[in-house]
Amino acid sequence: MTFHFEVLKILYLNQIIIGILGNSFLIFLFSFKVGTGQKTKPIILMLIHLLFANIIFLLFRGIPKIIEIWKLNYFVDYTASKILSYLQRVTRGLSLCSTCLVSVFQAITISPSTPMWAELKARVPKCVLPCCLLCWICNLLMDIVVPLYGTSSSNTTDSKESWQIGFSALDLHPIKTLIFLLWKFVYDSTFVCLTAITSGYKAFVLYRHNQRMQSIQVTSLSHSSSPEAQVTKKILLLASTFVIFNFTSSIFMIYMTLTKVASPVVLNISAFLSLCFPTVCPFILLNSNSRFTRSYRIY
C-alpha cells in the first residue's frame, strides 16, 4: 500500500504541473494571435475557453488529490469545503462541455457548403460567447446538489460508504445521492458521446474530401501521407483520448454508485483518469496545428 501511494504522489504531481503548464502555454500562443490585431476566428476563442476550463479543473480536482495523497495539513472550514467541492464538480463538467462545444463547432465549420449548412455556418460565430456562457450556467446549476447534500470530509471517517469529493463527501446510501450520481453519469456521457459522434463526422468529411482530391488530380503524395489523412488521424486521436479517459472514469463512478462501495483504489483510478485528458489535450492540439488545419479553418 505504501508503494501504491508513493507512485500516486509522483503521478498526480507530474500530471498537475505538466497539465497546467501545457494549457497555459497554448493559451499564451492563442492570445498572442488575438493580440496581433488580426481578425480573431471564433474557434480561437473557443479553444482559449477550453484550455482555461482545463486549467481550473486541474487546480480544483488535482490540488485536493495532492493534499490527500501527500497527507498535507490544510485548514478549510465546513462552508469552504463544500464550496470547493462544488467548484471541483463544476469545472469537470465545464471541461467536458467545452470540449464537446469545440468538436461541434469544428464539425459545422468543415461541413459541405450546402444552403442549409451555409446558413448555420453564418450564425455560429455569433453564438460562440452565448454558448460558452451557457456552459457555465448549465454546470453551475447541475452540481448545486453537492453543497446541499455533501458533508465536510473532516466530519467523516474513512468509510467505504462515503464518497470523497474534494474537501467534502457524499453518503452513497440516500436515494437522493443515487439519483444525482446516476443523472450526473448520463449528463457527462452525453457530452462524451456527442464529441465522439461529431469527431467521427469530421473524419468522414475529411476522408471524402481526400477521395475527391485524389480523383481529380495526380499527386506524388500517398494516401497515408496526405494532409487530409494526417488531420483525420489527429481528430480521431483527440476524440479517442477524450472518450476513453472520460468514459472509463464515468464507468468507475457508476460502479461505486451501484455497489455503494467507495474503494480508495477505485476513487484514485477514477480521479487520475478524469485528469488525463485536460493534461494531454494542449499537446494534442499543438500537434494538430498543421498547415492543412489552418487552411481548412479548423484551428
Side-chain angles (χ1 to χ4, degrees):
M1 194 63 161
T2 302
F3 177 75
H4 167 71
F5 278 97
E6 289 298 325
V7 172
L8 285 178
K9 285 181 180 181
I10 304 301
L11 287 178
Y12 277 120
L13 188 60
N14 289 334
Q15 191 178 45
I16 300 306
I17 293 175
I18 294 173
I20 292 177
L21 290 178
N23 283 279
S24 300
F25 176 70
L26 208 53
I27 286 180
F28 171 76
L29 290 182
F30 288 138
S31 300
F32 180 77
K33 290 183 179 181
V34 174
T36 56
Q38 300 177 357
K39 184 178 179 181
T40 304
K41 296 180 181 179
I43 190 62
I44 297 297
L45 298 177
M46 283 189 170
L47 288 173
I48 291 176
H49 179 259
L50 168 61
L51 296 167
F52 176 73
N54 287 341
I55 290 175
I56 58 177
F57 174 55
L58 286 167
L59 289 173
F60 283 110
R61 180 65 167 172
I63 290 179
K65 293 304 298 183
I66 290 178
I67 291 176
E68 175 190 344
I69 296 298
W70 285 77
K71 299 185 183 300
L72 302 175
N73 294 325
Y74 64 93
F75 301 94
V76 180
D77 60 21
Y78 179 73
T79 302
S81 66
K82 297 177 74 172
I83 293 175
L84 289 173
S85 300
Y86 168 64
L87 293 176
Q88 173 189 318
R89 301 302 304 174
V90 169
T91 52
R92 169 177 165 79
L94 185 63
S95 179
L96 295 176
C97 186
S98 300
T99 305
C100 179
L101 188 63
V102 169
S103 184
V104 171
F105 181 85
Q106 291 173 335
I108 295 174
T109 302
I110 70 172
S111 59
S113 299
T114 60
M116 180 187 69
W117 284 112
E119 183 179 355
L120 186 59
K121 288 180 183 181
R123 293 181 180 180
V124 162
K126 302 177 183 178
C127 300
V128 172
L129 293 180
C131 287
C132 292
L133 180 61
L134 184 62
C135 285
W136 281 90
I137 294 174
C138 288
N139 288 286
L140 286 171
L141 294 177
M142 172 59 59
D143 292 292
I144 196 67
V145 70
V146 172
L148 292 179
Y149 297 106
T151 59
S152 176
S153 59
S154 60
N155 296 332
T156 60
T157 61
D158 294 331
S159 172
K160 291 186 178 181
E161 299 176 354
S162 179
W163 184 349
Q164 297 294 325
I165 303 179
F167 293 105
S168 68
L170 282 177
D171 188 349
L172 294 176
H173 279 280
I175 187 64
K176 291 181 179 180
T177 302
L178 178 62
I179 294 174
F180 163 70
L181 293 176
L182 289 175
W183 169 242
K184 185 64 177 177
F185 172 77
V186 174
Y187 179 79
D188 292 348
S189 298
T190 299
F191 291 120
V192 173
C193 293
L194 187 57
T195 302
I197 292 172
T198 52
S199 298
Y201 172 75
K202 289 183 291 183
F204 174 74
V205 170
L206 292 174
Y207 174 78
R208 291 287 301 272
H209 176 76
N210 182 49
Q211 293 296 312
R212 288 195 298 268
M213 293 298 295
Q214 286 190 340
S215 64
I216 62 177
Q217 65 181 11
V218 178
T219 176
S220 60
L221 295 176
S222 63
H223 175 73
S224 59
S225 62
S226 66
E228 296 88 346
Q230 294 175 11
V231 174
T232 301
K233 291 178 181 179
K234 292 171 183 176
I235 288 175
L236 293 178
L237 174 62
L238 184 64
S240 60
T241 303
F242 176 80
V243 171
I244 291 173
F245 285 139
N246 287 286
F247 191 72
T248 306
S249 177
S250 297
I251 291 294
F252 284 110
M253 182 182 75
I254 203 67
Y255 167 78
M256 289 186 292
T257 303
L258 295 177
T259 60
K260 300 184 185 299
V261 176
S263 168
V265 176
V266 176
L267 282 171
N268 286 325
I269 293 175
S270 178
F272 180 79
L273 290 174
S274 67
L275 290 168
C276 282
F277 179 76
T279 301
V280 302
C281 175
F283 302 100
I284 298 177
L285 290 176
L286 188 63
N287 185 49
S288 301
N289 192 22
S290 63
R291 175 181 57 82
F292 180 77
T293 53
R294 290 195 299 270
S295 65
Y296 215 70
R297 296 183 181 182
I298 297 179
Y299 297 123

